[in-house]
C-alpha cells in the first residue's frame, strides 16, 4: 500500500478560509491593503481614486470591460480601477471575472476590498456580491506543497456597500463564500497527487466533510461491492494494489421538490491499464481523472447551506486503473450491476465501466433525473477544447437545465447528439456490448454505452475531459486540474424542476 505522509493534507483549502464580510468604505480603507473601484466607460470615477477620467485615459484606462489599473498610494490601501464597460451590461459572469482580475493585479496584497457599483448597474447588489466573492476567493486559491505552502494567499475580503445595501450584499457574500468553498474543495481533490489520494482516502475525505454539511455518507468496500455485483468497478480495480471504494452521499431535505442522482467518475489515477497510455503530458495529468467524483462531492457539500429543495443522491465510483499481472485483459467479459455483460476491448475506456454500475444502482430508487459527470473521452477535448464541456442525454428538459446552469455559472456545456445508429459500433459477438466504439464519434458512442444502464430514466451525461485541466490561469480559473463541474452541479440542483416525462420508476 502507498505510504501517506502524516503531514500531507489532501484538502488544504478547507483549513485556510479567509474572513469574508461587508463593511463601509471608511472601514475598508482602514483595514484593506487594496481596494477595487468599479469605473464605467465614459463616466467620471469616484473620488476615492483621486484622479479624473482624463487622467485615467492618459494612462490607457478607459473603463472598458476587463481593464485594470493599479494606483499606488503613500497612505491607505492601493486603489485598483476596474473597468466595467457599460453599467447596464454588468452580469454575474463579468463581475466574477473582474473580481478575479483585481485579485491577480495585486498578488502581494492579502486584505482586499471591492466596492459595489451604483444601483443603476444591470445587476442586483446580492448577485454582484456573490459573484465578486467567488471571483476573488477562486483566483486566490492554490494547491502547493513546497516551502511556504502554509502562507496564506488571502487573509480577508470585504465587500464595500452603503448602509441601505448592506443586507443585500451580506446575503450575496454568504452564498458566494459557500460556492467558492465547495469549488476549492473540488480543486483540492483534483490536484492532490494520486499516491496520496487513493480510493480509500477519498472515502475518508467524504466521511470528514459530508456529515458537517448535512450529508449522509455510506462507504462500500471491496467485499460489499462484490455482494452488490458491481463488476465494472471491480474489473477496473483488478490491476491495483489499492482497494476500490464506492461512496454514496445523500442530501435529504424535508418535502423534496425533486429527486436527483449524480454519478461521478473517480479514477484516482489512470495509467490506461494494459492499454497503457503514452508517457506524455496528458498521462502526467491523470491524477485529475477523478474530477467528476470530486465535483459531485464538492457540490453536495454546498446544498444545505444554499437551501436546495431537491433530494440528491451522489455516487462516487473510486479506483485507480493500473497494469499488473492481475489486471483486466483485452477480451475479458465483465458482468455489471444490472446483469449486462460487457466485452472489454480497451482497458483505457474504463470510466464508463465504473459509472455503469452506479447508473444501474441509481435506477433502483425513485429518481426524477440522473446526471453523470466524467473526464471520459479525448474526443470531447478535441471537439470543444478546454473551456466547454460536452453534454448529451435522453431527456430534453434535463439537458436544457444543465445548459442553463452552465451559462449561469460560467461552466458552459454544449450538446452532442445521441445518434443511436452509432449504437451498432458497441455490438459484441460474445457479450451484450463492448466498451469501445469505432475510431470516430468517440464521445457519442461513450454516451450511448452509458445510456444502456439508465433503464429509460431521464438522464444526461457531462463529459469534462477537456475542461478538467487548464494550461494557464484565466480570471478565476486556475492552472492545472480545475475541479470543473462543481458550480454547474450546484446550480443544476438548486434550480432543478422534474421533467414533465417524470422519472421512470418514481
Amino acid at each position: 500500500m502507498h505510504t501517506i505522509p502524516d503531514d500531507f493534507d489532501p484538502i488544504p483549502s478547507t483549513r485556510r478560509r479567509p474572513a469574508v464580510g461587508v463593511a463601509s468604505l471608511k472601514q475598508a480603507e482602514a483595514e484593506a491593503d487594496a481596494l477595487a473601484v468599479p469605473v464605467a466607460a465614459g463616466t467620471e470615477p469616484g473620488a476615492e481614486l483621486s484622479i479624473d477620467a482624463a487622467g485615467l485615459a492618459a494612462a490607457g484606462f478607459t473603463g472598458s470591460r476587463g481593464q485594470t489599473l493599479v494606483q499606488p498610494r503613500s497612505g491607505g490601501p492601493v486603489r485598483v480601477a476596474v473597468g466595467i464597460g457599460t453599467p447596464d451590461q454588468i452580469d454575474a459572469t463579468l463581475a466574477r471575472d473582474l473580481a478575479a482580475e483585481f485579485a491577480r493585479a495585486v498578488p502581494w496584497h492579502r486584505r482586499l476590498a471591492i466596492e459595489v457599483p451604483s444601483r443603476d448597474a444591470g445587476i442586483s447588489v446580492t448577485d454582484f456580491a456573490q459573484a465578486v466573492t467567488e471571483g476573488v476567493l477562486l483566483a486566490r486559491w492554490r494547491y502547493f506543497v513546497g516551502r511556504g505552502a502554509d502562507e496564506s494567499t488571502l487573509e480577508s475580503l470585504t465587500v464595500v456597500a452603503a448602509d441601505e445595501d448592506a443586507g443585500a450584499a451580506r446575503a450575496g457574500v454568504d452564498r458566494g463564500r459557500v460556492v467558492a468553498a465547495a469549488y476549492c474543495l473540488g480543486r483540492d481533490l483534483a490536484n492532490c497527487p494520486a499516491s496520496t489520494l487513493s480510493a480509500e482516502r477519498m472515502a475518508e475525505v467524504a466521511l470528514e466533510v459530508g456529515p458537517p454539511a448535512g450529508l449522509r455518507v455510506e462507504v462500500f468496500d471491496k467485499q460489499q461491492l462484490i455482494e452488490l455485483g458491481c463488476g465494472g468497478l471491480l474489473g477496473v480495480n483488478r490491476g491495483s494494489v489499492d482497494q476500490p471504494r464506492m461512496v454514496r452521499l445523500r442530501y435529504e431535505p424535508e418535502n423534496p421538490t425533486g429527486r436527483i442522482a449524480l454519478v461521478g467518475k473517480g479514477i484516482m489515477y489512470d495509467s490506461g491499464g494494459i492499454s497503457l497510455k503514452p508517457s506524455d503530458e496528458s498521462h502526467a495529468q491523470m491524477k485529475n481523472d477523478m474530477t467528476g467524483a470530486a465535483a459531485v462531492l464538492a457540490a453536495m457539500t454546498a446544498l444545505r447551506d444554499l437551501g436546495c429543495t431537491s433530494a440528491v443522491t451522489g455516487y462516487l465510483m473510486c479506483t485507480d486503473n493500473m497494469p499488473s499481472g492481475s489486471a483486466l485483459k483485452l477480451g475479458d467479459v465483465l458482468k455489471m450491476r444490472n446483469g449486462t455483460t460487457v466485452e472489454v476491448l480497451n482497458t483505457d475506456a474504463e470510466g464508463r465501466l465504473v459509472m455503469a454500475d452506479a447508473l444501474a444502482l441509481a435506477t433502483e430508487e425513485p429518481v426524477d433525473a440522473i446526471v453523470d459527470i466524467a473526464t471520459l473521452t479525448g474526443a470531447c477535448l478535441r471537439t470543444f477544447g478546454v473551456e466547454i464541456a460536452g453534454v448529451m442525454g435522453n431527456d430534453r428538459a434535463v439537458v436544457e437545465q444543465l445548459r442553463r446552469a452552465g451559462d449561469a455559472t460560467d461552466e458552459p456545456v454544449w450538446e452532442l447528439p445521441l445518434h443511436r445508429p452509432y449504437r451498432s459500433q458497441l455490438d459484441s459477438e460474445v457479450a451484450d456490448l463492448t466498451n469501445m466504439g469505432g475510431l470516430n464519434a468517440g464521445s457519442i458512442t461513450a454516451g450511448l454505452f452509458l445510456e444502456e444502464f439508465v433503464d429509460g430514466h431521464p438522464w444526461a451525461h457531462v463529459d469534462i475531459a477537456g475542461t478538467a485541466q487548464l494550461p494557464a490561469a484565466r480570471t478565476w480559473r486556475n492552472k492545472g486540474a480545475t475541479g470543473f463541474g462543481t458550480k454547474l452541479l450546484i446550480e443544476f440542483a438548486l434550480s432543478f424542476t422534474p421533467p414533465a416525462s417524470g422519472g421512470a420508476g418514481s
Side-chain angles (χ1 to χ4, degrees):
M1 302 294 287
H2 296 300
T3 300
I4 302 173
D6 292 337
D7 61 349
F8 199 108
D9 186 355
I11 48 173
S13 71
T14 64
R15 331 292 184 200
R16 299 195 301 265
R17 291 180 179 170
V20 185
V22 178
S24 66
L25 177 59
K26 182 178 181 180
Q27 183 178 350
E29 287 182 322
E31 298 177 356
D33 298 323
L35 170 68
V37 181
V39 179
T43 66
E44 288 295 329
E48 56 269 36
L49 282 180
S50 302
I51 189 172
D52 60 13
L56 290 174
F61 182 92
T62 62
S64 299
R65 292 169 64 118
Q67 282 188 310
T68 59
L69 180 66
V70 178
Q71 185 185 42
R73 292 172 65 91
S74 57
V78 166
R79 274 25 176 216
V80 181
V82 178
I84 61 176
T86 304
D88 60 3
Q89 294 180 344
I90 300 177
D91 58 17
T93 294
L94 175 61
R96 191 183 298 114
D97 286 353
L98 293 181
E101 294 289 5
F102 158 60
R104 294 191 189 281
V106 286
W108 305 115
H109 296 77
R110 299 290 182 262
R111 295 173 298 175
L112 307 184
I114 298 181
E115 280 195 74
V116 173
S118 63
R119 288 193 174 197
D120 60 355
I123 186 172
S124 71
V125 170
T126 299
D127 289 345
F128 181 87
Q130 176 177 345
V132 298
T133 299
E134 292 177 17
V136 170
L137 295 182
L138 294 177
R140 283 298 180 92
W141 170 94
R142 72 169 182 170
Y143 194 99
F144 182 69
V145 297
R147 293 183 178 89
D150 293 334
E151 296 176 6
S152 173
T153 61
L154 182 68
E155 294 177 12
S156 66
L157 168 65
T158 301
V159 173
V160 177
D163 289 344
E164 61 270 24
D165 292 330
R170 194 168 291 110
V173 164
D174 289 344
R175 291 181 67 85
R177 177 179 48 79
V178 171
V179 172
Y183 209 96
C184 289
L185 170 61
R187 285 178 172 179
D188 285 352
L189 294 169
N191 282 277
C192 189
S195 58
T196 294
L197 191 63
S198 63
E200 184 178 5
R201 189 70 177 270
M202 182 75 165
E204 291 172 354
V205 170
L207 288 167
E208 176 184 342
V209 303
L215 305 179
R216 184 151 59 93
V217 181
E218 302 171 89
V219 176
F220 297 82
D221 62 18
K222 184 175 182 178
Q223 183 56 43
Q224 290 169 307
L225 291 167
I226 292 171
E227 293 167 3
L228 285 172
C230 292
L233 183 55
L234 291 164
V236 174
N237 180 252
R238 270 171 31 188
S240 178
V241 298
D242 292 327
Q243 287 202 3
R245 290 291 186 270
M246 181 179 78
V247 181
R248 184 161 59 195
L249 311 166
R250 295 190 188 275
Y251 168 73
E252 298 171 328
E254 292 186 13
N255 304 314
T257 56
R259 295 189 179 276
I260 305 167
L262 301 177
V263 173
K265 174 186 173 183
I267 301 299
M268 313 309 294
Y269 176 76
D270 183 18
S271 71
I274 294 297
S275 303
L276 192 66
K277 294 178 182 290
S279 294
D280 57 12
E281 182 180 6
S282 176
H283 191 161
Q285 297 169 356
M286 282 301 103
K287 66 180 181 181
N288 78 8
D289 211 22
M290 39 64 69
T291 299
V296 171
L297 172 58
M300 291 187 66
T301 64
L303 298 182
R304 182 195 61 191
D305 289 347
L306 295 176
C308 180
T309 60
S310 288
V312 182
T313 301
Y315 295 86
L316 318 180
M317 306 303 286
C318 301
T319 179
D320 50 6
N321 181 28
M322 298 292 287
S324 75
S326 59
L328 193 64
K329 303 174 181 65
L330 304 191
D332 283 354
V333 174
L334 302 177
K335 187 175 183 180
M336 319 304 279
R337 164 68 184 181
N338 69 349
T340 298
T341 55
V342 178
E343 181 186 10
V344 177
L345 298 184
N346 188 327
T347 63
D348 197 24
E350 83 297 331
R352 65 201 70 183
L353 298 175
V354 304
M355 291 196 300
D357 288 327
L359 292 171
L361 284 166
T363 68
E364 296 173 16
E365 300 182 3
V367 66
D368 296 310
I370 302 171
V371 174
D372 72 72
I373 183 167
T375 47
L376 206 64
T377 66
C380 198
L381 166 62
R382 289 186 287 275
T383 299
F384 294 126
V386 297
E387 296 190 9
I388 302 172
V391 65
M392 61 195 83
N394 64 6
D395 189 278
R396 169 57 42 200
V398 176
V399 170
E400 180 60 20
Q401 288 185 59
L402 282 166
R403 187 197 62 76
R404 290 198 300 267
D407 289 346
T409 59
D410 201 16
E411 290 199 316
V413 298
W414 197 280
E415 186 176 6
L416 289 168
L418 271 179
H419 189 59
R420 291 188 173 83
Y422 291 166
R423 168 60 182 81
S424 62
Q425 295 182 33
L426 300 173
D427 289 342
S428 168
E429 295 184 359
V430 300
D432 293 315
L433 70 162
T434 68
N435 76 326
M436 196 71 180
L439 292 175
N440 301 314
S443 297
I444 296 173
T445 55
L448 290 168
F449 177 94
L450 295 173
E451 188 185 22
E452 294 286 319
F453 298 90
V454 300
D455 194 29
H457 289 69
W459 155 83
H461 157 61
V462 182
D463 191 333
I464 57 172
T467 56
Q469 189 86 16
L470 278 183
R474 186 174 71 80
T475 63
W476 55 270
R477 301 160 181 83
N478 62 293
K479 178 181 179 180
T482 63
F484 185 103
T486 300
K487 293 202 298 163
L488 171 71
L489 294 180
I490 290 173
E491 181 64 23
F492 174 77
L494 293 179
S495 59
F496 177 69
T497 300
S501 57
S506 62

